[in-house]
Amino acid sequence: MPLRIIFMGTPEFSVPTLSALVEAHHEIVAVYTQPPRPGGRRGLDLQKSPVHQAAELLGVPVLTPVNFKDPANRQTFRDFDADVAVVVAYGLLLPEEILSGTRHGCYNGHASLLPRWRGAAPIQRAIMAGDRETGMMVMKMDKGLDTGPVALTRSVPITETMTVGELHDKLMHVGAALMKEAMVRLEMGELTLTPQPEEGVAYAAKISKDETRIDFTRSAADVHNHIRGLAPFPGAWFELEIARRKERIKVLGSERAAGAGAPGTTLDDGLTIACGDGAVRPTRLQRAGGKPLATPDFLRGTPIAGGTRIS
């Protein structure tokens, strides 16, 4: 029989999993997502999350509690009488009453190879650390931060040019297929759980604004990983003096290049920039308020001579 599922998710990353469960003919009895947030051009309009919008198109009831501290919210969750809750990038910590509020508990689709990169930003951290591999895991949630036993795993290679945006899009579809398989196995009573190893734990802290600025004193490999780990959002950046004022330039792509010099100095007119060890060349740039441009197009409008200091 199809499962009665409560789905819990918020961003675009979660939507393919919701769609996959619907296509598998499970009964989605409710969708939980983050409340609408201010957005629009002036930040005045309330914007529903991508999961909220998808659920409305499917005709599924949507709930947007700020948290589960209110006993009424916890009781509402239990009253759905669900077999299982599926959680993908929901954005709220779940209390024990919610974790145990369905017959089979809560299963999370997490974008890393646990126990490496537990926490909020596993996709970004994997690229920024120079990892060559990541993946999706389905785990049964417990009270810890991504510490529950693992049901299924799919590995995904990380190439040297892959950005976080590209990896995000790949993983969200891998995760949807994996969760679909997990629910089939759960339905058949064939889903086995394996405790996570105690060694190899790493935490993926949320990306802070303070760490988005590029530090050219680091090695070219580290700078390149930093750039692609933040592209396209929130975007790594440097400051450049244009028309006698400092302007923030986002770097949305890069490649490693030959060359050496004082860190943060351009080595030629093509924007090869010296790092602490080696050099990088941005491949895609964006001025504040402008559109992303390939570096040759950017330089036609904003020439940057060799020997320019970039901070």
Side-chain angles (χ1 to χ4, degrees):
M1 291 179 59
L3 296 171
R4 288 175 56 84
I5 295 176
I6 294 173
F7 186 82
M8 310 179 82
T10 297
E12 179 190 6
F13 188 84
S14 315
V15 173
T17 301
L18 173 59
S19 300
L21 296 174
V22 171
E23 291 167 4
H25 304 294
H26 295 295
E27 183 182 1
I28 311 299
V29 296
V31 165
Y32 281 75
T33 189
Q34 290 283 299
R37 306 293 190 197
R41 294 184 63 182
R42 297 184 179 181
L44 301 176
D45 300 326
L46 290 178
Q47 303 288 315
K48 295 177 179 178
S49 75
V51 166
H52 194 148
Q53 297 174 50
E56 287 187 334
L57 290 174
L58 294 167
V60 178
V62 179
L63 294 92
T64 59
V66 175
N67 54 50
F68 288 97
K69 293 180 180 179
D70 188 338
N73 288 335
R74 299 196 292 269
Q75 185 60 50
T76 296
F77 186 91
R78 292 192 295 269
D79 287 345
F80 282 113
D81 191 32
D83 293 311
V84 64
V86 169
V87 185
V88 181
Y90 178 36
L92 281 183
L93 292 175
L94 302 182
E96 191 169 2
E97 284 186 65
I98 298 301
L99 295 175
S100 60
T102 67
R103 276 179 281 280
H104 296 290
C106 298
Y107 283 83
N108 177 236
H110 184 76
S112 82
L113 298 178
L114 294 167
R116 186 166 176 78
W117 303 129
R118 294 172 176 170
I123 306 176
Q124 293 93 331
R125 295 298 176 188
I127 292 180
M128 291 169 75
D131 291 1
R132 294 288 183 243
E133 184 181 50
T134 187
M136 287 296 304
M137 283 186 156
V138 173
M139 69 167 186
K140 187 170 185 180
M141 299 175 70
D142 60 17
K143 291 186 293 183
L145 177 64
D146 299 327
T147 56
V150 173
L152 294 176
T153 302
R154 290 287 183 278
S155 297
V156 173
I158 304 175
T159 68
E160 291 188 4
T161 60
M162 184 177 279
T163 65
V164 70
E166 293 165 344
L167 183 56
H168 167 282
D169 291 353
K170 186 174 185 64
L171 287 173
M172 72 180 182
H173 294 294
V174 170
L178 195 65
M179 187 63 75
K180 182 178 178 180
E181 180 183 343
M183 292 302 101
V184 169
R185 294 193 185 193
L186 182 65
E187 184 182 354
M188 297 174 65
E190 298 176 357
L191 190 65
T192 59
L193 298 171
T194 303
Q196 293 183 34
E198 295 182 3
E199 296 184 353
V201 175
Y203 289 96
K206 184 178 179 180
I207 303 297
S208 69
K209 291 182 180 179
D210 293 341
E211 62 183 314
T212 55
R213 186 171 190 159
I214 300 169
D215 179 2
F216 289 105
T217 65
R218 300 173 67 188
S219 71
D222 286 347
V223 171
H224 176 59
N225 292 339
H226 182 253
I227 290 167
R228 62 196 185 94
L230 298 175
F233 182 83
W237 57 275
F238 61 77
E239 278 190 340
L240 178 69
E241 187 171 318
I242 301 175
R244 296 186 179 181
R245 67 182 183 88
K246 291 282 188 179
E247 184 172 327
R248 184 176 295 191
I249 308 295
K250 278 189 178 183
V251 184
L252 302 178
S254 66
E255 60 189 8
R256 294 176 65 177
T265 302
T266 58
L267 301 178
D268 54 31
D269 294 347
L271 201 57
T272 301
I273 305 170
C275 301
D277 177 19
V280 296
R281 184 181 300 111
T283 58
R284 196 165 180 80
L285 299 158
Q286 183 177 18
R287 291 180 68 173
K291 62 181 181 179
L293 295 172
T295 296
D297 296 328
F298 180 92
L299 293 175
R300 274 193 282 273
T302 311
I304 303 173
T308 301
R309 180 70 178 175
I310 288 177
S311 59

